[in-house]
């Protein structure tokens, strides 16, 4: 019971914040980013109380909220200078509900709810400053993420379709939500830190949002200014290393039970890339990059493209395993790594979690795909960057590819050293 009510409370709070953010952006004088969460939580408390004492509690709560809004609109209609915001009034009504819930419900829930009220009231200035500081594009990204997560995901069928029994629309879109969520978190951090981010943070954030876009952006910059080649190479290398951190997060999300078996070789590759990045950083210490503008990671077109790509790779991996064995799997890894690391990582991890792919083959497929992705990025640098940057990248990526090859060759397989196909 307690776990469920905490989930219900958290959902109410988040939905209230989402609607409140949108209303605050429209400069609503009646309710904003703090008032709507309070209203949502008040509705939740009334529903809890109604379960014990009857539906009249819900009706009374609705009347109370409607009365508060009526008063606010009346004040506005008179054109006075009085602030018609309803935060204090809603907080008082909600706290009344919390007091009642202390008697009939869980004490821990009531305490958590009271704490949430206090925090919303206390952080008035930071919350309003946050809303004032974000741009329209940022709000659009958040709302599109809400569309992807709260509107589309719940209505998709949660059953298997098609050949090889691997295409589940709900699970496919759940992976879209995961990737968009990771990218959106990086996008928000990118927006917050902006020009204050140095090369290391810039590369890390770039890798979280899109390492490929980061590579192209800095390659083009080096073509205009060849003297920035060393700095551009550092940012690109850190973004490439961050891909492995992102891969580990994705594996933990979809294959938690198999994480310990799949992760160690990929952690070794991450460490190798970080060490190579450290060497590059020592050569460019003190340089301060200007971070390029980032596109919206929650764009519906991008989400649909990723969903289609993930489904295609999931099907291709299952078909290759069934029809061609290990050789077919590695071919899929090489080809998919050229386009996207997320899709091949998630599809492979999910098959491993379902027991349809052994974990040793799973991490090798992901590592081969990552090496293919490095080669693809080097090609982008050759196409868009300066010769100076290409020399730097060939040196850095060459070291990473050697490290990856060594891991594939030397990492124990069932207690025995073996090759990539061993």
């Amino acid at each position: 019971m307690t776990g469920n009510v905490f989930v219900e409370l958290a959902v109410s709070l988040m939905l209230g914040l989402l609607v409140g953010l949108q209303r605050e952006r429209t400069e609503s004088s009646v309710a904003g980013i703090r008032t709507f969460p309070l209203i949502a939580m008040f509705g939740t408390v009334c529903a809890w109380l109604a379960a014990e004492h009857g539906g009249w509690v819900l009706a009374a709560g609705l009347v109370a909220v409607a009365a508060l809004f009526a008063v606010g609109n009346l004040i506005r209609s008179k054109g006075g200078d009085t602030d018609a915001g309803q935060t204090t009034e809603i907080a008082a009504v909600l706290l009344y509900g919390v007091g009642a819930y202390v008697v009939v419900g869980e004490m821990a829930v009531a305490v958590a709810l009271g704490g949430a009220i206090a925090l919303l009231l206390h952080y008035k200035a930071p919350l309003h400053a946050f809303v004032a500081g974000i741009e329209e594009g940022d709000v659009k990204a958040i709302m599109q993420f809400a569309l992807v997560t709260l509107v589309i995901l719940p209505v998709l069928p949660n059953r298997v379709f098609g050949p090889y029994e691997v295409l589940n629309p709900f699970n496919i879109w759940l992976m879209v939500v995961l990737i968009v969520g990771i990218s959106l978190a990086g996008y928000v951090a990118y927006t917050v830190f902006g020009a204050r981010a140095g090369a290391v943070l810039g590369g890390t954030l770039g890798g979280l949002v899109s390492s490929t876009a980061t590579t192209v952006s800095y390659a083009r910059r080096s073509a205009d200014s060849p003297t920035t080649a060393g700095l551009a190479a550092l940012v690109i290398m850190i973004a490439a290393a961050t891909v492995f951190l992102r891969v580990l997060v994705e594996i933990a999300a979809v294959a938690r039970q198999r994480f310990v078996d799949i992760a160690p070789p990929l952690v070794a590759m991450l460490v190798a890339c970080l060490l190579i990045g450290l060497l590059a950083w020592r050569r460019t210490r003190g340089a301060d990059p200007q971070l390029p503008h980032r596109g919206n990671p929650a764009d519906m077109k991008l989400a649909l493209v990723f969903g289609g790509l993930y489904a295609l790779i999931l099907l291709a991996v299952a078909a290759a395993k069934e029809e061609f064995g290990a050789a077919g799997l590695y071919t899929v890894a090489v080809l998919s790594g050229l386009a996207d690391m997320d899709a091949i990582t998630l599809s492979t991890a999910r098959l491993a979690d379902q027991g349809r792919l052994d974990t040793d083959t799973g991490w090798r497929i992901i590592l081969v795909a990552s090496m293919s992705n490095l080669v693809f990025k080097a090609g982008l640098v050759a196409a868009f960057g300066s010769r100076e940057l290409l020399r730097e990248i060939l040196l850095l990526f060459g070291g990473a590819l050697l490290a990856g090859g060594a891991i594939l060759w030397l990492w124990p397989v069932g207690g025995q050293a073996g090759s990539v196909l061993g």
Side-chain angles (χ1 to χ4, degrees):
M1 172 63 180
T2 303
N4 288 336
V5 295
F6 274 121
V7 171
E8 291 167 358
L9 182 61
V11 170
S12 295
L13 177 61
M14 295 307 297
L15 291 175
L17 285 170
L18 182 65
V19 176
L21 169 64
Q22 197 282 328
R23 289 289 81 198
E24 188 88 21
R25 291 289 297 181
T26 63
E27 299 181 352
S28 170
S29 61
V30 176
I33 195 169
R34 296 187 303 150
T35 308
F36 272 102
L38 293 172
I39 294 172
M41 291 189 291
F42 177 58
T44 301
V45 171
C46 286
W48 291 339
L49 294 173
E52 294 285 338
H53 303 287
W56 68 268
V57 179
L58 277 174
L62 179 60
V63 170
V65 173
L68 288 171
F69 274 96
V71 170
N73 286 322
L74 180 62
I75 294 174
R76 283 198 307 156
S77 67
K78 292 183 176 180
D81 296 328
T82 303
D83 181 6
Q86 300 294 297
T87 301
T88 301
E89 290 81 356
I90 290 291
V93 173
L94 175 56
L95 200 56
Y96 168 81
V98 173
Y101 188 73
V102 168
V103 179
V104 301
E106 299 282 347
M107 182 68 70
V109 176
V111 170
L113 187 53
I117 296 171
L119 289 174
L120 281 171
L121 294 175
H122 178 72
Y123 286 107
K124 175 180 180 179
L127 285 169
H128 286 292
F130 166 75
V131 175
I134 61 178
E135 299 177 356
E136 191 60 35
D138 303 328
V139 177
K140 181 180 179 182
I142 294 172
M143 293 303 166
Q144 286 181 327
F145 181 63
L147 172 64
V148 168
T149 307
L150 303 177
V151 178
I152 297 178
L153 181 64
V155 302
L156 291 175
N158 189 7
R159 60 190 181 90
V160 174
F161 293 88
Y164 304 104
E165 297 184 348
V166 294
L167 299 180
N168 181 314
F170 182 87
N171 287 336
I172 290 172
W173 200 254
L174 187 62
M175 297 304 102
V176 174
V177 170
L178 174 63
I179 295 307
V180 172
I182 292 174
S183 297
L184 185 61
Y187 175 83
V188 171
Y190 209 96
T191 301
V192 170
F193 290 105
R196 298 193 302 275
V200 174
L201 182 57
T204 302
L205 296 176
L208 289 176
V209 180
S210 172
S211 60
T212 300
T214 300
T215 300
V216 172
S217 176
Y218 279 92
R220 285 175 172 167
R221 180 175 300 178
S222 74
D224 297 331
S225 179
T227 58
T228 64
L231 178 61
L234 170 61
V235 175
I236 291 171
M237 185 65 223
I238 293 174
T242 304
V243 168
F244 291 96
L245 179 61
R246 182 173 174 139
V247 161
L248 291 168
V249 171
E250 293 167 5
I251 295 171
V254 302
R256 187 177 305 172
Q257 301 298 324
R258 304 282 185 171
F259 181 79
V260 175
D261 298 320
I262 300 174
L266 301 174
V267 172
M269 186 64 177
L270 170 62
V271 171
C273 289
L274 290 176
L275 290 175
I276 294 170
L278 177 62
L279 294 176
W281 174 77
R282 290 175 63 89
R283 297 170 56 191
T284 59
R285 214 170 357 185
D288 187 19
Q290 295 297 313
L291 301 184
H293 175 72
R294 289 286 171 239
N296 178 6
D299 182 76
M300 273 303 298
K301 290 181 180 179
L302 294 178
L304 290 171
V305 168
F306 174 79
L309 181 61
Y310 170 72
L312 182 62
I313 292 177
L314 192 65
L315 187 61
V317 169
K321 180 178 182 293
E322 183 75 21
E323 304 295 336
F324 305 106
L329 291 174
Y330 294 117
T331 300
V332 172
V334 171
L335 294 177
S336 62
L338 294 174
D340 183 83
M341 274 299 299
D342 294 323
I344 185 65
T345 298
L346 291 170
S347 59
T348 302
R350 180 164 288 278
L351 289 174
D353 187 58
Q354 295 170 347
R356 305 181 66 171
L357 191 68
D358 67 271
T359 54
D360 184 72
T361 302
W363 72 255
R364 290 177 183 276
I365 289 173
I366 294 171
L367 186 53
V368 168
S370 71
M371 295 169 68
S372 172
N373 191 253
L374 288 175
V375 173
F376 174 67
K377 290 189 177 90
L380 292 176
V381 171
F384 298 106
S386 64
R387 291 183 178 179
E388 292 81 1
L389 176 60
L390 181 59
R391 284 196 295 267
E392 295 278 349
I393 288 298
L394 288 177
L395 181 63
L396 297 176
F397 280 10
L401 290 171
L402 287 175
I407 292 171
L408 285 170
W409 183 263
L410 299 174
W411 199 270
V413 182
Q416 303 289 328
S419 69
V420 65
L421 298 177

